[in-house]
């Protein structure tokens, strides 16, 4: 029943709902000596903030993070780092109408089944707001990874039927448009597509892709805590995610071995791979090449279009969900995907340190 | 570094490699009072045995399971259940040629990177043989689930480009053909396709689909131990799995909300859903309807076709892997997928028992 | 490196230091439906507050707890409960003198060894202040236990050489004197003893004893998570604790079997024990009788008396620690001991629910 | 309900009962590259074997350990190491009489309460035999520690009222007498005392003391996984242990601060402590000096002397337990205490590696 803690060595415990005092996270196991301040974390949270585009809701949340512990003279002390973002704009009247209704596609029904009742205001703990805490923790993990030359870069790969074209891929473009697509043309087309959906009082899904560079080889703990499995769990725990794949992913199920295998070769004295169908993970561990994975997001369940559903008493009824809801989750989720990946990578990097006796002896000067 | 334990309450710890004394698992946390004998487990292992078809290798492993502890007078005592399958047919000479080579698509390279050396005989711990232990544990979980009216049914959904046709779906057909496809026609076409690949000295990938019935609603521990996330981790930890999706999965990324939402309705006094795009999981918890997920397997990496690679010293070389290798992993993996799912379900069912105070008080007669 | 989380199902994660923004805890896995408000927790924290007696420091901390999440309409929702107590009275100038000194008996030296540097203000995370968070979590656990008819009662058993006399034991007396001794006479003698020590600019140790009533039999998870072992870990993790014993404890090492065994007998149709040398725990599980254990606290390390020590550079020096320090830790620790015990009991009660198949089936109506 | 796994990084999972196929353990997370063979482990198990003295039972168990996995070419591969000791001498008829009786001081009653029934033959999982598995795992941990210059040395400190005299302490003497007392004189007196008890058809308790040398400072994970707390849990999980103390332990509860504090001083350029009342642990972490702790064992519950008890139906009855039972547990437990300590130390040494960012970067050459 304790499902709000993630990680083994670098570990985060999140708390908070849409309409409580706020959301937050306790990060335990962060190595001591990392320079860290609110701004390092705030810039990650800002990428989650709505109101940055016409397509994300205008809730005007001022997600301002506060560091409550674990830092001294600007550096992490190795003790738990408590971060909190206090709720400001709640307007609970938005949600009173749904108190006695099970919204389709939402967790209302399952939370009631599990706990016997639920905080019906805005989705409570099942709301996307909960991801703010994950992003705060991920920002810290990302800082540590950065110190080690490891970068995690995620972006919107597709919105509905509109997919980026790899030939026009540009990292800089990602942060220049509101949809976080690294392809200006695709972003424009996706924008049109979204306008259509909004007119139809509907929503749509999309894909987030993530690329990780700089990882050493051998990271991951077979057989159950493989890097692929840990990343999968992390990403699938994000609300609205219905699929996860690494490298060629589902395409690999239709490939043949001679094409899917990444052949090793002598790359100027280093061992390289001619291709990367594996997505950088082999035998469940990083192989030193670029790690690539994708997450499939279903459409936002809250739509203004009329839907059939039931009341909590089980009677047929209809519902049209008004208020402030995104027609698409994906752009806000990009930084959440990056954050979850960063936490997994750091946790496994720390777990890996005890793999070899010679390295353990060297570490302790014995 | 302890990556061989899976689960929190119902927990399994596996051990063993291709060329050690055998493989096995310790199952801890199995409720006491379950009638259990070797045969209950053996029938699951038999579904993994090669030699049952022309397409799986003729290694003739006699995977005979032995129960070493945890049973008394035919019932589980609640103490750890140790299961072992001792290796019989090892023929190490099959593998001596690969001692100094990194086989493409295999974990040789990454195990060396992590540990500094590896047991090169047949893949050691990274071999598919390790899954025997998982299946043994899954067999126990499946028995408990069965006692509770919960069934887990997996099958081969596709091999290469050949996919089953839902109109001809037949559960009985699955166990009647060697490819475990619940569609006789598709099984025949897939057989032809495999013959082709074998002639080409190649291999291919496929999809396994799994359907779970009888689950109560509310199972899963948000936000990180959601049922979807736990299933994902379990399945992605199986060797060769490169993708995982629930319900409509990746298709949902191209859907619109009004179509993807499963509308609730009054189903003769019970709350039902008109559709099941969610695949039975909502807000990360079971919603009481059928749970459906798919796993994408890459092609078997060991092929007889010549491949470019490097020696462990990093020099270019070529390799053709002869011996006893399946041209496809999927049929053998079907029972592994069922087993991993069973373990996850039971673990979360047990974790859920403490969710509500009234239920806890009732349990303890307080 | 993640040492700030405790528990498996009912789980707490604490954070905070003496001179950060505050201290707090995230409680995960608390069953839903428990009526809970700040006052329920505040009354536990108040028992920790200094200034309630001449013998505890006059730091005048106003430990006012705030519930930040996990409650809706006055009841726990089953989601994480975040509690925080924000620091008010910090007066860091008290500690500037010790920045470059390793205080004897304190964790300064070991924190530096582990992390390379430390928050030297007032002990940072090693300060007794950290226990505030534990008490807040323990208060919640105690509420649930109370709902189940289980009570945890701890008290000061001895201060220095002054021990309570069981013949004059009175529960009510505990809360009537500042030393929390359930024996008025002993409390008076101990008071005199403490006056002596204070005049000598010294401190002293003591014992806390804890009695638990109402536990059902069979709670504890052999072989490693035995109730005795879990309680021991919980109590030994409290700062200044150097010993833990159950039932007759160390005395049992000098007993003979015929006297130490608790003989069962027919107690009016129920199975009872004639004695309770075991302290209510048998084979590592509760046996249904009263559970009794003791914790040994060393003297407060911070004394005004001059002590020899070294600077952080390793040079000989002397130190006299002035400021606001208790001459004895024990009275403040009584509620901490109760709280840790409560958390352990609840966690194991929840873990035990999956022990028997028949009970699991009954729970799920299957 | 999964109480048979211990540790976070270096992790052991034990299985087995007195009258099953055998006992065993799976050790996960052992660093790769350690030279290891059966003999390394056997010599630890041999110290547990009965029949080595007049005072331990003549059951003539041939505890011969077998390594089933995790070793290749004489070295650990980093994969799980499965060890098993198969039962040979069981003579179940010894136990048939106790099938329907709750033996005083044994776990019969509590196992029945927890699981609804139990394996009554010889104590099943609650038997001392279960510790064989722990010792096997401890032997591996001890080998790693030895490679790092860390030694764990335990011995019998007292048997009943007979305690060793530190003035005559001799490490070599420990292995020369059957009681493992490092004081020849005391061993002789204790022998006489035991003869007495055996004539009286009784048993007695004792103390085991353990000394650890060579530990670096800073090992332990505050605040809950402190070294003291982890050691305490490990030792208290051993059957018959009713007390645990570190350094001066319970004596410290009667000391004053000026005497109990260990003063630091400049020891020829190194930081040393003038005394070691703390027992080598400060703030829950090792301080670099010798670690010392003691465990109190209650008397063997199985005695030939007639005792009052009840049947499983709750009726008054009497029992005299014949057969092969030690009059004292302590000598056999010495190696168990060493083993549990070794496992804890290694686990925390591995966990500590991620404490500092500079060390993590150095480890990864970043």
């Amino acid at each position: 029943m304790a499902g709000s803690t993630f990680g083994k060595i670098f570990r985060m415990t999140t708390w908070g709902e849409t309409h409580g005092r706020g959301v937050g996270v306790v990060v335990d196991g962060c190595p001591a000596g990392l320079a860290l301040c609110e701004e390092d974390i705030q810039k990650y949270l800002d990428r989650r903030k709505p109101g940055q585009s016409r397509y994300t809701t205008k809730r005007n949340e001022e997600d301002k993070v506060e560091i409550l512990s674990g830092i001294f003279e600007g550096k992490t002390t190795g003790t738990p780092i408590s971060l909190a973002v206090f709720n400001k704009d709640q307007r609970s009247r938005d949600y009173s109408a749904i108190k006695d209704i099970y919204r389709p596609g939402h967790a209302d029904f399952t939370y009631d089944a599990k706990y016997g009742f639920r905080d019906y205001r805005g989705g409570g703990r099942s709301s996307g707001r909960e991801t703010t805490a994950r992003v705060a923790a991920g920002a810290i993990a990302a800082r540590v990874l950065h110190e080690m030359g490891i970068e995690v870069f995620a972006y919107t790969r597709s919105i509905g039927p509109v997919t980026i074209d790899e030939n026009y891929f540009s990292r800089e473009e990602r942060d220049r448009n509101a949809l976080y697509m690294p392809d200006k043309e695709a972003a424009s087309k996706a924008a049109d597509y979204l306008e259509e959906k909004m007119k139809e009082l509907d929503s749509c899904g999309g894909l987030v892709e993530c690329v990780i560079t700089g990882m050493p080889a051998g990271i991951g703990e077979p057989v159950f805590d493989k890097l692929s499995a840990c990343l999968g769990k992390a990403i699938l725990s994000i609300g609205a995610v219905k699929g996860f794949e690494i490298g060629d992913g589902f395409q690999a199920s239709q490939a043949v071995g001679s094409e899917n295998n990444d052949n090793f070769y002598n790359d100027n004295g280093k061992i390289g791979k001619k291709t990367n169908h594996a997505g950088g993970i082999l035998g469940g561990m990083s192989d030193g090449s670029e790690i690539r994975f994708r997450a499939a997001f279903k459409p936002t369940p809250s739509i203004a279009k009329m839907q059939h559903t039931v009341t909590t008493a089980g009677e047929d009824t209809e519902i049209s969900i008004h208020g402030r809801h995104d027609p698409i989750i994906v752009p806000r989720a990009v930084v959440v995907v990056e954050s979850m990946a960063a936490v997994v990578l750091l946790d496994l990097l720390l777990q890996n340190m005890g793999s070899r006796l010679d390295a353990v002896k060297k570490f302790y000067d014995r």
Side-chain angles (χ1 to χ4, degrees), chain A residues 155-164 179 181-182 186 190 204-209 294-297 328 330-331:
Chain A
Y155 47 87
T156 301
R157 177 178 173 82
S158 68
I159 284 180
V162 183
T163 308
I164 60 171
L179 299 176
M181 284 182 113
C204 70
L207 286 183
V208 173
E209 184 162 50
R294 276 173 295 284
F297 284 79
I328 180 147
V330 167

PDB file of all heavy atoms in Angstrom, chain A residues 155-164 179 181-182 186 190 204-209 294-297 328 330-331:
ATOM      1  N   TYR A 155      11.021  14.908 -26.008  1.00  0.00           N
ATOM      2  CA  TYR A 155      10.258  15.842 -26.847  1.00  0.00           C
ATOM      3  C   TYR A 155       8.992  15.159 -27.333  1.00  0.00           C
ATOM      4  O   TYR A 155       8.868  13.938 -27.248  1.00  0.00           O
ATOM      5  CB  TYR A 155      11.098  16.310 -28.035  1.00  0.00           C
ATOM      6  CG  TYR A 155      11.791  15.180 -28.756  1.00  0.00           C
ATOM      7  CD1 TYR A 155      11.152  14.473 -29.787  1.00  0.00           C
ATOM      8  CD2 TYR A 155      13.077  14.784 -28.377  1.00  0.00           C
ATOM      9  CE1 TYR A 155      11.778  13.414 -30.424  1.00  0.00           C
ATOM     10  CE2 TYR A 155      13.712  13.726 -29.016  1.00  0.00           C
ATOM     11  CZ  TYR A 155      13.057  13.047 -30.025  1.00  0.00           C
ATOM     12  OH  TYR A 155      13.689  11.994 -30.636  1.00  0.00           O
ATOM     13  N   THR A 156       8.110  15.975 -27.888  1.00  0.00           N
ATOM     14  CA  THR A 156       6.894  15.442 -28.462  1.00  0.00           C
ATOM     15  C   THR A 156       7.245  14.872 -29.832  1.00  0.00           C
ATOM     16  O   THR A 156       7.694  15.607 -30.701  1.00  0.00           O
ATOM     17  CB  THR A 156       5.830  16.548 -28.629  1.00  0.00           C
ATOM     18  OG1 THR A 156       5.561  17.126 -27.352  1.00  0.00           O
ATOM     19  CG2 THR A 156       4.547  15.985 -29.223  1.00  0.00           C
ATOM     20  N   ARG A 157       7.026  13.606 -30.010  1.00  0.00           N
ATOM     21  CA  ARG A 157       7.312  12.983 -31.288  1.00  0.00           C
ATOM     22  C   ARG A 157       6.100  13.071 -32.222  1.00  0.00           C
ATOM     23  O   ARG A 157       6.253  13.228 -33.428  1.00  0.00           O
ATOM     24  CB  ARG A 157       7.686  11.528 -31.083  1.00  0.00           C
ATOM     25  CG  ARG A 157       7.947  10.760 -32.371  1.00  0.00           C
ATOM     26  CD  ARG A 157       8.368   9.319 -32.103  1.00  0.00           C
ATOM     27  NE  ARG A 157       8.453   8.554 -33.332  1.00  0.00           N
ATOM     28  CZ  ARG A 157       9.515   8.573 -34.148  1.00  0.00           C
ATOM     29  NH1 ARG A 157      10.564   9.320 -33.854  1.00  0.00           N
ATOM     30  NH2 ARG A 157       9.517   7.850 -35.253  1.00  0.00           N
ATOM     31  N   SER A 158       4.922  12.929 -31.635  1.00  0.00           N
ATOM     32  CA  SER A 158       3.727  13.016 -32.474  1.00  0.00           C
ATOM     33  C   SER A 158       2.533  13.470 -31.665  1.00  0.00           C
ATOM     34  O   SER A 158       2.466  13.260 -30.451  1.00  0.00           O
ATOM     35  CB  SER A 158       3.419  11.656 -33.104  1.00  0.00           C
ATOM     36  OG  SER A 158       3.024  10.734 -32.099  1.00  0.00           O
ATOM     37  N   ILE A 159       1.615  14.108 -32.374  1.00  0.00           N
ATOM     38  CA  ILE A 159       0.339  14.516 -31.788  1.00  0.00           C
ATOM     39  C   ILE A 159      -0.717  14.015 -32.754  1.00  0.00           C
ATOM     40  O   ILE A 159      -0.742  14.444 -33.919  1.00  0.00           O
ATOM     41  CB  ILE A 159       0.270  16.045 -31.630  1.00  0.00           C
ATOM     42  CG1 ILE A 159       1.130  16.461 -30.428  1.00  0.00           C
ATOM     43  CG2 ILE A 159      -1.181  16.499 -31.412  1.00  0.00           C
ATOM     44  CD1 ILE A 159       1.163  17.932 -30.157  1.00  0.00           C
ATOM     45  N   GLY A 160      -1.533  13.108 -32.262  1.00  0.00           N
ATOM     46  CA  GLY A 160      -2.494  12.500 -33.163  1.00  0.00           C
ATOM     47  C   GLY A 160      -1.730  11.886 -34.332  1.00  0.00           C
ATOM     48  O   GLY A 160      -0.733  11.192 -34.125  1.00  0.00           O
ATOM     49  N   PRO A 161      -2.161  12.164 -35.577  1.00  0.00           N
ATOM     50  CA  PRO A 161      -1.514  11.572 -36.746  1.00  0.00           C
ATOM     51  C   PRO A 161      -0.290  12.351 -37.229  1.00  0.00           C
ATOM     52  O   PRO A 161       0.392  11.942 -38.153  1.00  0.00           O
ATOM     53  CB  PRO A 161      -2.612  11.647 -37.802  1.00  0.00           C
ATOM     54  CG  PRO A 161      -3.376  12.886 -37.433  1.00  0.00           C
ATOM     55  CD  PRO A 161      -3.350  12.950 -35.928  1.00  0.00           C
ATOM     56  N   VAL A 162       0.007  13.473 -36.583  1.00  0.00           N
ATOM     57  CA  VAL A 162       1.121  14.319 -37.027  1.00  0.00           C
ATOM     58  C   VAL A 162       2.419  13.949 -36.323  1.00  0.00           C
ATOM     59  O   VAL A 162       2.542  14.110 -35.104  1.00  0.00           O
ATOM     60  CB  VAL A 162       0.812  15.817 -36.754  1.00  0.00           C
ATOM     61  CG1 VAL A 162       1.940  16.682 -37.294  1.00  0.00           C
ATOM     62  CG2 VAL A 162      -0.530  16.203 -37.370  1.00  0.00           C
ATOM     63  N   THR A 163       3.376  13.437 -37.104  1.00  0.00           N
ATOM     64  CA  THR A 163       4.645  12.997 -36.524  1.00  0.00           C
ATOM     65  C   THR A 163       5.795  13.855 -37.027  1.00  0.00           C
ATOM     66  O   THR A 163       5.771  14.339 -38.159  1.00  0.00           O
ATOM     67  CB  THR A 163       4.921  11.528 -36.914  1.00  0.00           C
ATOM     68  OG1 THR A 163       3.766  10.753 -36.588  1.00  0.00           O
ATOM     69  CG2 THR A 163       6.111  10.970 -36.153  1.00  0.00           C
ATOM     70  N   ILE A 164       6.830  14.025 -36.181  1.00  0.00           N
ATOM     71  CA  ILE A 164       7.981  14.810 -36.617  1.00  0.00           C
ATOM     72  C   ILE A 164       8.710  14.077 -37.735  1.00  0.00           C
ATOM     73  O   ILE A 164       8.596  12.856 -37.879  1.00  0.00           O
ATOM     74  CB  ILE A 164       8.983  15.055 -35.455  1.00  0.00           C
ATOM     75  CG1 ILE A 164       9.517  13.721 -34.909  1.00  0.00           C
ATOM     76  CG2 ILE A 164       8.330  15.884 -34.363  1.00  0.00           C
ATOM     77  CD1 ILE A 164      10.653  13.877 -33.926  1.00  0.00           C
ATOM     78  N   LEU A 179       4.325  23.244 -28.425  1.00  0.00           N
ATOM     79  CA  LEU A 179       4.036  21.808 -28.382  1.00  0.00           C
ATOM     80  C   LEU A 179       5.287  20.967 -28.110  1.00  0.00           C
ATOM     81  O   LEU A 179       5.222  19.751 -28.036  1.00  0.00           O
ATOM     82  CB  LEU A 179       3.379  21.360 -29.697  1.00  0.00           C
ATOM     83  CG  LEU A 179       2.038  22.056 -29.972  1.00  0.00           C
ATOM     84  CD1 LEU A 179       1.483  21.652 -31.329  1.00  0.00           C
ATOM     85  CD2 LEU A 179       1.034  21.713 -28.870  1.00  0.00           C
ATOM     86  N   MET A 181       7.719  20.280 -29.993  1.00  0.00           N
ATOM     87  CA  MET A 181       8.093  19.393 -31.101  1.00  0.00           C
ATOM     88  C   MET A 181       9.384  19.927 -31.713  1.00  0.00           C
ATOM     89  O   MET A 181       9.472  21.118 -32.040  1.00  0.00           O
ATOM     90  CB  MET A 181       6.984  19.376 -32.168  1.00  0.00           C
ATOM     91  CG  MET A 181       5.789  18.538 -31.761  1.00  0.00           C
ATOM     92  SD  MET A 181       4.499  18.476 -33.034  1.00  0.00           S
ATOM     93  CE  MET A 181       4.557  16.741 -33.512  1.00  0.00           C
ATOM     94  N   PRO A 182      10.375  19.071 -31.894  1.00  0.00           N
ATOM     95  CA  PRO A 182      11.662  19.522 -32.441  1.00  0.00           C
ATOM     96  C   PRO A 182      11.651  19.607 -33.965  1.00  0.00           C
ATOM     97  O   PRO A 182      12.655  19.337 -34.614  1.00  0.00           O
ATOM     98  CB  PRO A 182      12.632  18.450 -31.940  1.00  0.00           C
ATOM     99  CG  PRO A 182      11.794  17.212 -31.871  1.00  0.00           C
ATOM    100  CD  PRO A 182      10.417  17.648 -31.472  1.00  0.00           C
ATOM    101  N   ALA A 186       6.152  20.256 -38.425  1.00  0.00           N
ATOM    102  CA  ALA A 186       5.232  19.349 -37.754  1.00  0.00           C
ATOM    103  C   ALA A 186       4.481  20.073 -36.656  1.00  0.00           C
ATOM    104  O   ALA A 186       3.279  19.874 -36.458  1.00  0.00           O
ATOM    105  CB  ALA A 186       6.009  18.161 -37.170  1.00  0.00           C
ATOM    106  N   ALA A 190       0.536  20.157 -36.339  1.00  0.00           N
ATOM    107  CA  ALA A 190      -0.095  19.637 -35.118  1.00  0.00           C
ATOM    108  C   ALA A 190      -0.968  20.714 -34.493  1.00  0.00           C
ATOM    109  O   ALA A 190      -2.033  20.435 -33.946  1.00  0.00           O
ATOM    110  CB  ALA A 190       0.985  19.177 -34.142  1.00  0.00           C
ATOM    111  N   CYS A 204      -6.954  14.672 -27.946  1.00  0.00           N
ATOM    112  CA  CYS A 204      -6.233  13.624 -28.664  1.00  0.00           C
ATOM    113  C   CYS A 204      -4.975  13.196 -27.929  1.00  0.00           C
ATOM    114  O   CYS A 204      -4.548  13.860 -26.978  1.00  0.00           O
ATOM    115  CB  CYS A 204      -5.873  14.102 -30.069  1.00  0.00           C
ATOM    116  SG  CYS A 204      -4.622  15.380 -30.078  1.00  0.00           S
ATOM    117  N   GLY A 205      -4.396  12.098 -28.391  1.00  0.00           N
ATOM    118  CA  GLY A 205      -3.214  11.531 -27.748  1.00  0.00           C
ATOM    119  C   GLY A 205      -1.952  11.890 -28.495  1.00  0.00           C
ATOM    120  O   GLY A 205      -1.962  12.683 -29.422  1.00  0.00           O
ATOM    121  N   GLY A 206      -0.843  11.291 -28.075  1.00  0.00           N
ATOM    122  CA  GLY A 206       0.427  11.561 -28.743  1.00  0.00           C
ATOM    123  C   GLY A 206       1.539  10.695 -28.208  1.00  0.00           C
ATOM    124  O   GLY A 206       1.322   9.841 -27.339  1.00  0.00           O
ATOM    125  N   LEU A 207       2.722  10.908 -28.771  1.00  0.00           N
ATOM    126  CA  LEU A 207       3.905  10.152 -28.343  1.00  0.00           C
ATOM    127  C   LEU A 207       4.989  11.097 -27.836  1.00  0.00           C
ATOM    128  O   LEU A 207       5.214  12.166 -28.403  1.00  0.00           O
ATOM    129  CB  LEU A 207       4.517   9.383 -29.517  1.00  0.00           C
ATOM    130  CG  LEU A 207       3.851   8.139 -30.073  1.00  0.00           C
ATOM    131  CD1 LEU A 207       4.726   7.552 -31.175  1.00  0.00           C
ATOM    132  CD2 LEU A 207       3.612   7.089 -29.014  1.00  0.00           C
ATOM    133  N   VAL A 208       5.661  10.664 -26.766  1.00  0.00           N
ATOM    134  CA  VAL A 208       6.838  11.385 -26.295  1.00  0.00           C
ATOM    135  C   VAL A 208       8.025  10.472 -26.548  1.00  0.00           C
ATOM    136  O   VAL A 208       7.968   9.271 -26.272  1.00  0.00           O
ATOM    137  CB  VAL A 208       6.763  11.705 -24.784  1.00  0.00           C
ATOM    138  CG1 VAL A 208       8.089  12.293 -24.303  1.00  0.00           C
ATOM    139  CG2 VAL A 208       5.622  12.662 -24.509  1.00  0.00           C
ATOM    140  N   GLU A 209       9.071  11.017 -27.108  1.00  0.00           N
ATOM    141  CA  GLU A 209      10.285  10.232 -27.319  1.00  0.00           C
ATOM    142  C   GLU A 209      11.382  10.820 -26.442  1.00  0.00           C
ATOM    143  O   GLU A 209      11.400  12.025 -26.186  1.00  0.00           O
ATOM    144  CB  GLU A 209      10.699  10.270 -28.789  1.00  0.00           C
ATOM    145  CG  GLU A 209      11.917   9.391 -29.120  1.00  0.00           C
ATOM    146  CD  GLU A 209      12.025   9.104 -30.614  1.00  0.00           C
ATOM    147  OE1 GLU A 209      11.960  10.058 -31.399  1.00  0.00           O
ATOM    148  OE2 GLU A 209      12.185   7.919 -30.987  1.00  0.00           O
ATOM    149  N   ARG A 294      10.189   5.392 -26.221  1.00  0.00           N
ATOM    150  CA  ARG A 294       8.984   6.169 -26.520  1.00  0.00           C
ATOM    151  C   ARG A 294       7.857   5.786 -25.573  1.00  0.00           C
ATOM    152  O   ARG A 294       7.752   4.620 -25.169  1.00  0.00           O
ATOM    153  CB  ARG A 294       8.526   5.925 -27.959  1.00  0.00           C
ATOM    154  CG  ARG A 294       9.232   6.779 -28.987  1.00  0.00           C
ATOM    155  CD  ARG A 294       8.836   6.359 -30.411  1.00  0.00           C
ATOM    156  NE  ARG A 294       9.283   5.007 -30.700  1.00  0.00           N
ATOM    157  CZ  ARG A 294      10.546   4.666 -30.974  1.00  0.00           C
ATOM    158  NH1 ARG A 294      11.471   5.609 -31.014  1.00  0.00           N
ATOM    159  NH2 ARG A 294      10.871   3.417 -31.201  1.00  0.00           N
ATOM    160  N   ALA A 295       7.030   6.781 -25.270  1.00  0.00           N
ATOM    161  CA  ALA A 295       5.867   6.558 -24.413  1.00  0.00           C
ATOM    162  C   ALA A 295       4.618   6.996 -25.153  1.00  0.00           C
ATOM    163  O   ALA A 295       4.586   8.090 -25.722  1.00  0.00           O
ATOM    164  CB  ALA A 295       6.012   7.363 -23.123  1.00  0.00           C
ATOM    165  N   ALA A 296       3.597   6.150 -25.125  1.00  0.00           N
ATOM    166  CA  ALA A 296       2.339   6.463 -25.802  1.00  0.00           C
ATOM    167  C   ALA A 296       1.338   7.007 -24.795  1.00  0.00           C
ATOM    168  O   ALA A 296       1.037   6.351 -23.800  1.00  0.00           O
ATOM    169  CB  ALA A 296       1.787   5.198 -26.459  1.00  0.00           C
ATOM    170  N   PHE A 297       0.819   8.197 -25.067  1.00  0.00           N
ATOM    171  CA  PHE A 297      -0.170   8.819 -24.186  1.00  0.00           C
ATOM    172  C   PHE A 297      -1.555   8.755 -24.822  1.00  0.00           C
ATOM    173  O   PHE A 297      -1.726   9.090 -26.004  1.00  0.00           O
ATOM    174  CB  PHE A 297       0.177  10.302 -23.958  1.00  0.00           C
ATOM    175  CG  PHE A 297       1.320  10.494 -23.005  1.00  0.00           C
ATOM    176  CD1 PHE A 297       2.632  10.318 -23.414  1.00  0.00           C
ATOM    177  CD2 PHE A 297       1.072  10.853 -21.683  1.00  0.00           C
ATOM    178  CE1 PHE A 297       3.683  10.487 -22.519  1.00  0.00           C
ATOM    179  CE2 PHE A 297       2.121  11.026 -20.783  1.00  0.00           C
ATOM    180  CZ  PHE A 297       3.426  10.833 -21.206  1.00  0.00           C
ATOM    181  N   ILE A 328      -4.752  18.129 -24.891  1.00  0.00           N
ATOM    182  CA  ILE A 328      -3.691  17.133 -25.049  1.00  0.00           C
ATOM    183  C   ILE A 328      -2.756  17.188 -23.843  1.00  0.00           C
ATOM    184  O   ILE A 328      -2.432  18.256 -23.343  1.00  0.00           O
ATOM    185  CB  ILE A 328      -2.904  17.362 -26.358  1.00  0.00           C
ATOM    186  CG1 ILE A 328      -1.796  16.304 -26.481  1.00  0.00           C
ATOM    187  CG2 ILE A 328      -2.297  18.757 -26.399  1.00  0.00           C
ATOM    188  CD1 ILE A 328      -1.493  15.902 -27.872  1.00  0.00           C
ATOM    189  N   VAL A 330       0.330  15.508 -23.771  1.00  0.00           N
ATOM    190  CA  VAL A 330       1.737  15.316 -24.160  1.00  0.00           C
ATOM    191  C   VAL A 330       2.715  16.467 -23.920  1.00  0.00           C
ATOM    192  O   VAL A 330       3.763  16.258 -23.325  1.00  0.00           O
ATOM    193  CB  VAL A 330       1.804  14.821 -25.622  1.00  0.00           C
ATOM    194  CG1 VAL A 330       3.224  14.914 -26.171  1.00  0.00           C
ATOM    195  CG2 VAL A 330       1.337  13.385 -25.689  1.00  0.00           C
ATOM    196  N   PRO A 331       2.435  17.687 -24.352  1.00  0.00           N
ATOM    197  CA  PRO A 331       3.462  18.727 -24.159  1.00  0.00           C
ATOM    198  C   PRO A 331       3.863  18.903 -22.692  1.00  0.00           C
ATOM    199  O   PRO A 331       5.037  19.062 -22.374  1.00  0.00           O
ATOM    200  CB  PRO A 331       2.795  19.996 -24.715  1.00  0.00           C
ATOM    201  CG  PRO A 331       1.811  19.482 -25.716  1.00  0.00           C
ATOM    202  CD  PRO A 331       1.287  18.210 -25.124  1.00  0.00           C
TER     203      PRO A 331
END
